[in-house]
Amino acid sequence: MKLDPVETRTVAAEFIGTLLLVFFAVGSAVLAADYIGALGIALAFGFTLLALAYALGPVSGSHLNPAVTLAMLLQGRITLRTAIEYWIAQIVGAIIGAALLLLLAKQVPGLSTDGTFGSNGFGDRSAVHLNTGGAFLAEVVLTFLLVFVWLAVTHKVAVVGFGPLALGFTLALVHLIGVPLTGASVNPARSLGPALFAGGDAFSQVWLFLVAPLIGAALAAFVHQIVQPHGAPVLIADERAVGGHRAYELPPDPAETEAGRHEGPTRRRPPEPPAGPAGPGAGGPKGGPSDGPTPPIGL
């Protein structure tokens, strides 16, 4: 499959972006969790996505997440070919990013990466020992929120303006809630890369973090289509305003409006003519000579 220059740029952006997301965001959990805690990890994920969305959002949309790409495909914003290209770039980028992170982690004395390595998990691998059903539900709901916001702040695919702020804040919020539950995946590529190198239970449980985020993304695409159908006005709340008037203006009385429509425009009465001089020779209404001769007196 040959790529044209534009496709090359977008695919490269997804590859590099996902690589950096895994290296820096997952790296915060692998290398610095004891120092920054769950709050620091959540902020690391949010800030990393915010920065990458500003850098790569105008190029590829900065999906960096197969779940986001699936939602864009279901909404008809990208073609199936583009989605497949993005998925391949994201998965390969996540694996290489995890490999680079592992190489760095191996240089830290006493740091163990076996079975953990920033991977996601449930049961005994969850900080709160969340069971399989709870983990599945959590990943579906958390991914739903992230993808729904993503669809709402993007007109088509590109992320521009203040969109990266909303996406970064949302991902940070998702991790604030999700880190104690499952480690917060919401991204199949982000889960697959570290799980390949962690091995053990991390790899045996990764199926949940591949399936649940995709279901959450599909639900978000469906709900967003109901709330904001394609081609509908964006500021729909203004369309519901009373009569389309500003808040400080009162709408016209419907009865008066209907009566005015039937009666037509109001006509003004012409002004009364001024009184002319009395007596013989007084003419017409303005006091000038009359059009006809004055009849003889007495006739």
Side-chain angles (χ1 to χ4, degrees), residues 27-253:
S28 69
V30 174
L31 303 172
D34 294 339
Y35 304 96
I36 62 177
L39 174 60
I41 295 172
L43 293 178
F45 271 89
F47 289 157
T48 302
L49 178 60
L50 189 155
L52 292 173
Y54 269 119
L56 304 175
V59 180
S60 68
S62 189
H63 294 180
L64 320 181
N65 185 339
V68 174
T69 302
L70 175 63
M72 293 288 181
L73 174 64
L74 294 177
Q75 289 233 319
R77 302 190 189 187
I78 60 176
T79 64
L80 178 59
R81 171 175 171 163
T82 300
I84 293 174
E85 293 169 355
Y86 275 30
W87 286 330
I88 294 173
Q90 291 158 359
I91 293 172
V92 175
I95 293 173
I96 295 180
L100 292 175
L101 178 59
L102 179 65
L103 180 63
L104 177 60
K106 290 297 185 181
Q107 314 309 311
V108 180
L111 180 64
S112 175
T113 59
D114 295 335
T116 54
F117 193 55
S119 59
N120 304 109
F122 52 87
D124 293 338
R125 301 189 65 252
S126 165
V128 296
H129 299 281
L130 190 66
N131 61 26
T132 306
F136 196 94
L137 177 61
E139 287 295 326
V140 168
V141 175
L142 294 175
T143 308
F144 175 92
L145 174 62
L146 175 64
V147 175
F148 185 82
V149 172
W150 206 299
L151 295 173
V153 301
T154 52
H155 178 63
K156 290 183 179 178
V157 177
V159 180
V160 294
F162 292 104
L165 289 174
L167 300 181
F169 290 159
T170 303
L171 187 62
L173 171 63
V174 162
H175 279 75
L176 282 174
I177 300 171
V179 165
L181 301 178
T182 63
S185 168
V186 301
N187 183 338
R190 167 261 180 275
S191 295
L192 180 61
L196 289 175
F197 297 98
D201 290 340
F203 186 74
S204 66
Q205 292 183 355
V206 75
W207 66 269
L208 186 147
F209 304 102
L210 302 180
V211 176
L214 296 179
I215 294 177
L219 291 175
F222 174 75
V223 174
H224 182 265
Q225 186 61 27
I226 296 175
V227 176
Q228 185 65 54
H230 180 70
V234 176
L235 301 179
I236 193 170
D238 290 347
E239 300 292 326
R240 298 286 294 173
V242 178
H245 289 258
R246 295 190 179 97
Y248 57 81
E249 293 179 347
L250 293 177
D253 189 336

Side-chain angles (χ1 to χ4, degrees), residues 282-285 288-294:
S290 62
D291 295 334
T294 304

